[in-house]
Every structure is written in structure tokens, then in C-alpha cells.
Amino acid sequence: SLFFLSKIRLVAGVQTLGRDDLKNRPMTVSREQCAVTIDQKAGICRLESRGKNKVAIQRASQENDYVLIGKGQVCELRSGDRLALQCRLENGAVTPCEWLTYLPVETPK
């Protein structure tokens, strides 16, 4: 299987994501904003927030609902879930600056 966050190819094991992975390289995103762990055997993707600011997670099944993951918190990503390494909170609403979508892809055997 192959695993992607939008155009970012994820490798088995632990991989960090941060400002250098975004188009505009915003200074509000840490160099290591989060760590993504791929357990290829189990087919599981876990995200741990490591940056100063929170990461927003939008479940594929809940288009208008967001979960904010703070430093040290861990969540499991499922196919179609989206995350924003950079987001603004305005009047309690989350405004993402760039969404990354988690897509596991089965490869032929």
C-alpha cells in the first residue's frame, strides 16, 4: 500500500510534517508541526501534534465538524480525513489555510 497526504507521499514508520511541506511556508506552523506514523501491517495512520499551534482534523464523514489536536495529542487518520497544519480560530470557527487529505492507496500484488 501507498499512503499520501494530498501530494505528500508518506513512508512506513514515523515522518514529521511542518512548514516546509506547505506551499507558502507559514511561520505560524512549526518545523515539526506533527508526526505521522504509518503502521503498514495494520493499515493504520496515527498523527501526533507537536507544534505550538493546534492541528485541525476534519473527518471524511463530518464535513462541517472539526477536531483540534493540541501538542502531545494523538489521533488516528482514516481514508478521506483532512488535516490543516495551519488554521485560524475566529469566533470559535476554524478557518484552515491549506487542507491535506489522507489517502491510502492499495497497490497491486
Side-chain angles (χ1 to χ4, degrees):
S1 295
L2 299 174
F3 303 89
F4 292 89
L5 272 174
S6 295
K7 294 180 181 180
I8 302 168
R9 183 175 176 178
L10 300 174
V11 295
V14 180
Q15 181 174 344
T16 58
L17 299 173
R19 77 172 68 115
D20 291 339
D21 296 299
L22 300 177
K23 292 176 196 168
N24 58 352
R25 302 175 101 178
M27 295 306 289
T28 54
V29 175
S30 299
R31 285 185 291 278
E32 291 189 12
Q33 185 68 23
C34 67
V36 177
T37 303
I38 299 289
D39 181 338
Q40 207 158 8
K41 286 184 180 181
I44 295 173
C45 178
R46 286 190 185 88
L47 177 133
E48 177 188 358
S49 181
R50 292 185 174 177
K52 180 179 173 184
N53 295 316
K54 295 182 179 183
V55 174
I57 305 290
Q58 182 183 48
R59 299 292 182 195
S61 60
Q62 301 170 333
E63 282 188 31
N64 297 319
D65 200 15
Y66 307 95
V67 177
L68 295 176
I69 307 297
K71 189 173 186 171
Q73 292 181 306
V74 177
C75 75
E76 188 174 309
L77 294 178
R78 298 176 200 101
S79 182
D81 287 354
R82 301 188 319 159
L83 68 100
L85 298 181
Q86 178 190 23
C87 56
R88 291 186 303 275
L89 294 173
E90 296 172 2
N91 300 323
V94 176
T95 304
C97 295
E98 182 180 347
W99 282 113
L100 300 173
T101 303
Y102 174 62
L103 298 169
V105 179
E106 290 296 320
T107 54
K109 297 184 181 191

PDB file of all heavy atoms in Angstrom, residues 75-94:
ATOM      1  N   CYS A  75      -4.199  11.173  17.302  1.00  0.00           N
ATOM      2  CA  CYS A  75      -5.454  10.681  16.735  1.00  0.00           C
ATOM      3  C   CYS A  75      -5.136   9.792  15.537  1.00  0.00           C
ATOM      4  O   CYS A  75      -4.058   9.879  14.949  1.00  0.00           O
ATOM      5  CB  CYS A  75      -6.384  11.816  16.349  1.00  0.00           C
ATOM      6  SG  CYS A  75      -5.916  12.687  14.858  1.00  0.00           S
ATOM      7  N   GLU A  76      -6.073   8.937  15.202  1.00  0.00           N
ATOM      8  CA  GLU A  76      -5.918   8.052  14.054  1.00  0.00           C
ATOM      9  C   GLU A  76      -6.584   8.698  12.847  1.00  0.00           C
ATOM     10  O   GLU A  76      -7.685   9.240  12.952  1.00  0.00           O
ATOM     11  CB  GLU A  76      -6.583   6.705  14.367  1.00  0.00           C
ATOM     12  CG  GLU A  76      -6.311   5.648  13.328  1.00  0.00           C
ATOM     13  CD  GLU A  76      -6.857   4.293  13.751  1.00  0.00           C
ATOM     14  OE1 GLU A  76      -6.562   3.873  14.888  1.00  0.00           O
ATOM     15  OE2 GLU A  76      -7.573   3.683  12.949  1.00  0.00           O
ATOM     16  N   LEU A  77      -5.901   8.672  11.705  1.00  0.00           N
ATOM     17  CA  LEU A  77      -6.476   9.188  10.467  1.00  0.00           C
ATOM     18  C   LEU A  77      -7.080   8.046   9.672  1.00  0.00           C
ATOM     19  O   LEU A  77      -6.513   6.960   9.603  1.00  0.00           O
ATOM     20  CB  LEU A  77      -5.407   9.884   9.620  1.00  0.00           C
ATOM     21  CG  LEU A  77      -4.794  11.157  10.187  1.00  0.00           C
ATOM     22  CD1 LEU A  77      -3.722  11.685   9.247  1.00  0.00           C
ATOM     23  CD2 LEU A  77      -5.854  12.212  10.413  1.00  0.00           C
ATOM     24  N   ARG A  78      -8.228   8.324   9.064  1.00  0.00           N
ATOM     25  CA  ARG A  78      -8.897   7.351   8.198  1.00  0.00           C
ATOM     26  C   ARG A  78      -8.949   7.912   6.781  1.00  0.00           C
ATOM     27  O   ARG A  78      -8.831   9.111   6.577  1.00  0.00           O
ATOM     28  CB  ARG A  78     -10.299   7.083   8.717  1.00  0.00           C
ATOM     29  CG  ARG A  78     -10.311   6.487  10.115  1.00  0.00           C
ATOM     30  CD  ARG A  78     -11.744   6.315  10.634  1.00  0.00           C
ATOM     31  NE  ARG A  78     -11.734   6.209  12.075  1.00  0.00           N
ATOM     32  CZ  ARG A  78     -12.042   7.203  12.908  1.00  0.00           C
ATOM     33  NH1 ARG A  78     -12.385   8.370  12.439  1.00  0.00           N
ATOM     34  NH2 ARG A  78     -11.988   7.026  14.200  1.00  0.00           N
ATOM     35  N   SER A  79      -9.144   7.037   5.833  1.00  0.00           N
ATOM     36  CA  SER A  79      -9.187   7.455   4.433  1.00  0.00           C
ATOM     37  C   SER A  79     -10.197   8.588   4.229  1.00  0.00           C
ATOM     38  O   SER A  79     -11.333   8.511   4.685  1.00  0.00           O
ATOM     39  CB  SER A  79      -9.572   6.264   3.550  1.00  0.00           C
ATOM     40  OG  SER A  79      -9.571   6.643   2.198  1.00  0.00           O
ATOM     41  N   GLY A  80      -9.754   9.651   3.580  1.00  0.00           N
ATOM     42  CA  GLY A  80     -10.611  10.800   3.303  1.00  0.00           C
ATOM     43  C   GLY A  80     -10.581  11.879   4.359  1.00  0.00           C
ATOM     44  O   GLY A  80     -11.089  12.981   4.137  1.00  0.00           O
ATOM     45  N   ASP A  81     -10.013  11.592   5.546  1.00  0.00           N
ATOM     46  CA  ASP A  81      -9.886  12.628   6.579  1.00  0.00           C
ATOM     47  C   ASP A  81      -8.962  13.724   6.069  1.00  0.00           C
ATOM     48  O   ASP A  81      -8.048  13.472   5.290  1.00  0.00           O
ATOM     49  CB  ASP A  81      -9.299  12.046   7.867  1.00  0.00           C
ATOM     50  CG  ASP A  81     -10.277  11.179   8.634  1.00  0.00           C
ATOM     51  OD1 ASP A  81     -11.463  11.101   8.246  1.00  0.00           O
ATOM     52  OD2 ASP A  81      -9.849  10.569   9.637  1.00  0.00           O
ATOM     53  N   ARG A  82      -9.223  14.940   6.511  1.00  0.00           N
ATOM     54  CA  ARG A  82      -8.378  16.060   6.110  1.00  0.00           C
ATOM     55  C   ARG A  82      -7.757  16.691   7.347  1.00  0.00           C
ATOM     56  O   ARG A  82      -8.339  16.677   8.417  1.00  0.00           O
ATOM     57  CB  ARG A  82      -9.195  17.106   5.347  1.00  0.00           C
ATOM     58  CG  ARG A  82      -9.835  16.528   4.124  1.00  0.00           C
ATOM     59  CD  ARG A  82     -10.492  17.518   3.208  1.00  0.00           C
ATOM     60  NE  ARG A  82     -11.244  18.574   3.854  1.00  0.00           N
ATOM     61  CZ  ARG A  82     -11.532  19.731   3.251  1.00  0.00           C
ATOM     62  NH1 ARG A  82     -11.141  19.959   2.022  1.00  0.00           N
ATOM     63  NH2 ARG A  82     -12.220  20.652   3.879  1.00  0.00           N
ATOM     64  N   LEU A  83      -6.563  17.266   7.157  1.00  0.00           N
ATOM     65  CA  LEU A  83      -5.938  17.973   8.262  1.00  0.00           C
ATOM     66  C   LEU A  83      -5.362  19.282   7.763  1.00  0.00           C
ATOM     67  O   LEU A  83      -4.996  19.423   6.606  1.00  0.00           O
ATOM     68  CB  LEU A  83      -4.877  17.125   8.947  1.00  0.00           C
ATOM     69  CG  LEU A  83      -3.603  16.791   8.189  1.00  0.00           C
ATOM     70  CD1 LEU A  83      -2.495  17.708   8.636  1.00  0.00           C
ATOM     71  CD2 LEU A  83      -3.221  15.356   8.470  1.00  0.00           C
ATOM     72  N   ALA A  84      -5.338  20.244   8.660  1.00  0.00           N
ATOM     73  CA  ALA A  84      -4.756  21.548   8.372  1.00  0.00           C
ATOM     74  C   ALA A  84      -3.664  21.796   9.402  1.00  0.00           C
ATOM     75  O   ALA A  84      -3.936  21.832  10.599  1.00  0.00           O
ATOM     76  CB  ALA A  84      -5.811  22.649   8.427  1.00  0.00           C
ATOM     77  N   LEU A  85      -2.425  21.930   8.924  1.00  0.00           N
ATOM     78  CA  LEU A  85      -1.315  22.227   9.822  1.00  0.00           C
ATOM     79  C   LEU A  85      -1.388  23.664  10.305  1.00  0.00           C
ATOM     80  O   LEU A  85      -0.881  24.007  11.356  1.00  0.00           O
ATOM     81  CB  LEU A  85       0.020  21.990   9.112  1.00  0.00           C
ATOM     82  CG  LEU A  85       0.302  20.564   8.647  1.00  0.00           C
ATOM     83  CD1 LEU A  85       1.671  20.502   7.983  1.00  0.00           C
ATOM     84  CD2 LEU A  85       0.219  19.586   9.789  1.00  0.00           C
ATOM     85  N   GLN A  86      -2.020  24.508   9.510  1.00  0.00           N
ATOM     86  CA  GLN A  86      -2.171  25.916   9.862  1.00  0.00           C
ATOM     87  C   GLN A  86      -3.647  26.271   9.791  1.00  0.00           C
ATOM     88  O   GLN A  86      -4.308  26.026   8.780  1.00  0.00           O
ATOM     89  CB  GLN A  86      -1.399  26.805   8.887  1.00  0.00           C
ATOM     90  CG  GLN A  86      -1.569  28.282   9.181  1.00  0.00           C
ATOM     91  CD  GLN A  86      -1.004  29.159   8.075  1.00  0.00           C
ATOM     92  OE1 GLN A  86      -0.883  28.716   6.946  1.00  0.00           O
ATOM     93  NE2 GLN A  86      -0.691  30.384   8.396  1.00  0.00           N
ATOM     94  N   CYS A  87      -4.181  26.832  10.865  1.00  0.00           N
ATOM     95  CA  CYS A  87      -5.566  27.273  10.844  1.00  0.00           C
ATOM     96  C   CYS A  87      -5.727  28.471  11.765  1.00  0.00           C
ATOM     97  O   CYS A  87      -4.916  28.701  12.647  1.00  0.00           O
ATOM     98  CB  CYS A  87      -6.513  26.150  11.233  1.00  0.00           C
ATOM     99  SG  CYS A  87      -6.164  25.409  12.831  1.00  0.00           S
ATOM    100  N   ARG A  88      -6.762  29.234  11.504  1.00  0.00           N
ATOM    101  CA  ARG A  88      -7.082  30.383  12.340  1.00  0.00           C
ATOM    102  C   ARG A  88      -8.383  30.089  13.079  1.00  0.00           C
ATOM    103  O   ARG A  88      -9.285  29.469  12.530  1.00  0.00           O
ATOM    104  CB  ARG A  88      -7.275  31.633  11.479  1.00  0.00           C
ATOM    105  CG  ARG A  88      -6.017  32.138  10.843  1.00  0.00           C
ATOM    106  CD  ARG A  88      -6.253  33.467  10.133  1.00  0.00           C
ATOM    107  NE  ARG A  88      -7.288  33.401   9.120  1.00  0.00           N
ATOM    108  CZ  ARG A  88      -7.090  33.016   7.863  1.00  0.00           C
ATOM    109  NH1 ARG A  88      -5.906  32.658   7.454  1.00  0.00           N
ATOM    110  NH2 ARG A  88      -8.090  32.998   6.991  1.00  0.00           N
ATOM    111  N   LEU A  89      -8.467  30.546  14.297  1.00  0.00           N
ATOM    112  CA  LEU A  89      -9.701  30.447  15.064  1.00  0.00           C
ATOM    113  C   LEU A  89     -10.318  31.834  15.129  1.00  0.00           C
ATOM    114  O   LEU A  89      -9.705  32.760  15.633  1.00  0.00           O
ATOM    115  CB  LEU A  89      -9.434  29.926  16.477  1.00  0.00           C
ATOM    116  CG  LEU A  89      -8.923  28.501  16.577  1.00  0.00           C
ATOM    117  CD1 LEU A  89      -8.546  28.177  18.021  1.00  0.00           C
ATOM    118  CD2 LEU A  89      -9.960  27.532  16.082  1.00  0.00           C
ATOM    119  N   GLU A  90     -11.514  31.947  14.563  1.00  0.00           N
ATOM    120  CA  GLU A  90     -12.208  33.234  14.566  1.00  0.00           C
ATOM    121  C   GLU A  90     -13.614  33.014  15.095  1.00  0.00           C
ATOM    122  O   GLU A  90     -14.405  32.294  14.472  1.00  0.00           O
ATOM    123  CB  GLU A  90     -12.243  33.816  13.155  1.00  0.00           C
ATOM    124  CG  GLU A  90     -10.858  34.141  12.613  1.00  0.00           C
ATOM    125  CD  GLU A  90     -10.884  34.548  11.146  1.00  0.00           C
ATOM    126  OE1 GLU A  90     -11.976  34.606  10.559  1.00  0.00           O
ATOM    127  OE2 GLU A  90      -9.804  34.795  10.611  1.00  0.00           O
ATOM    128  N   ASN A  91     -13.926  33.621  16.231  1.00  0.00           N
ATOM    129  CA  ASN A  91     -15.240  33.481  16.857  1.00  0.00           C
ATOM    130  C   ASN A  91     -15.631  32.021  17.038  1.00  0.00           C
ATOM    131  O   ASN A  91     -16.762  31.630  16.778  1.00  0.00           O
ATOM    132  CB  ASN A  91     -16.299  34.221  16.036  1.00  0.00           C
ATOM    133  CG  ASN A  91     -16.003  35.697  15.931  1.00  0.00           C
ATOM    134  OD1 ASN A  91     -15.527  36.304  16.887  1.00  0.00           O
ATOM    135  ND2 ASN A  91     -16.260  36.278  14.779  1.00  0.00           N
ATOM    136  N   GLY A  92     -14.687  31.186  17.413  1.00  0.00           N
ATOM    137  CA  GLY A  92     -14.958  29.774  17.655  1.00  0.00           C
ATOM    138  C   GLY A  92     -14.974  28.906  16.415  1.00  0.00           C
ATOM    139  O   GLY A  92     -15.116  27.698  16.499  1.00  0.00           O
ATOM    140  N   ALA A  93     -14.834  29.508  15.234  1.00  0.00           N
ATOM    141  CA  ALA A  93     -14.839  28.737  13.993  1.00  0.00           C
ATOM    142  C   ALA A  93     -13.407  28.531  13.495  1.00  0.00           C
ATOM    143  O   ALA A  93     -12.553  29.399  13.646  1.00  0.00           O
ATOM    144  CB  ALA A  93     -15.646  29.466  12.920  1.00  0.00           C
ATOM    145  N   VAL A  94     -13.156  27.379  12.912  1.00  0.00           N
ATOM    146  CA  VAL A  94     -11.837  27.045  12.384  1.00  0.00           C
ATOM    147  C   VAL A  94     -11.778  27.438  10.916  1.00  0.00           C
ATOM    148  O   VAL A  94     -12.637  27.052  10.125  1.00  0.00           O
ATOM    149  CB  VAL A  94     -11.552  25.533  12.520  1.00  0.00           C
ATOM    150  CG1 VAL A  94     -10.228  25.176  11.880  1.00  0.00           C
ATOM    151  CG2 VAL A  94     -11.570  25.130  13.975  1.00  0.00           C
TER     152      VAL A  94
END
